[in-house]
Amino acid sequence: MNMQTIIEEKLNEALSPEVLEVINESHMHSGPATESHFKVVAVSDAFDGKMLIARHRMINAALADELQQIHALALHTMTPDEYFEKAGKVADSPECGGGSK
């Protein structure tokens, strides 16, 4: 099973999200790794009333084993209301400082 599928399965189980996008952005970065950079958009009622750091900690806990192998994980965590207010738009991932392409 590839890393993207593992991330999707674990976050679906942990968060029961209304929206979950796991995007492999490894091709945008230098080096041979093909499963090292991911962007996650997670929209869940589980985030209601939680500060951003708590939301990220929830994801980090769900992906504790996988984070040993991932170089970069861009997280966009929202409640359904926040997602609606932003019309589903999230920022682009930052450039990787690990090398040049």
Side-chain angles (χ1 to χ4, degrees):
M1 189 174 332
N2 68 31
M3 184 63 74
Q4 182 173 347
T5 301
I6 292 168
I7 293 169
E8 289 168 349
E9 287 182 0
K10 287 197 170 188
L11 293 181
N12 272 315
E13 182 178 325
L15 303 173
S16 300
E18 289 188 27
V19 176
L20 178 64
E21 294 179 53
V22 178
I23 303 154
N24 185 342
E25 297 184 329
S26 301
H27 67 281
M28 297 170 25
H29 306 283
S30 65
T34 58
E35 294 189 295
S36 60
H37 294 69
F38 291 90
K39 177 178 187 173
V40 171
V41 177
V43 179
S44 175
D45 285 325
F47 298 139
D48 193 37
K50 292 186 173 46
M51 295 179 63
L52 186 61
I53 189 72
R55 297 172 184 193
H56 288 196
R57 285 178 177 153
M58 291 170 69
I59 289 179
N60 289 345
L63 301 177
D65 293 336
E66 290 69 31
L67 290 175
Q68 304 297 317
Q69 303 166 40
I70 295 173
H71 175 72
L73 185 63
L75 300 177
H76 302 274
T77 55
M78 294 167 268
T79 64
D81 287 343
E82 291 166 342
Y83 185 73
F84 178 75
E85 287 172 16
K86 293 182 179 192
K89 296 185 192 303
V90 297
D92 291 335
S93 296
E95 294 287 324
C96 178
S100 62
K101 188 125 176 110

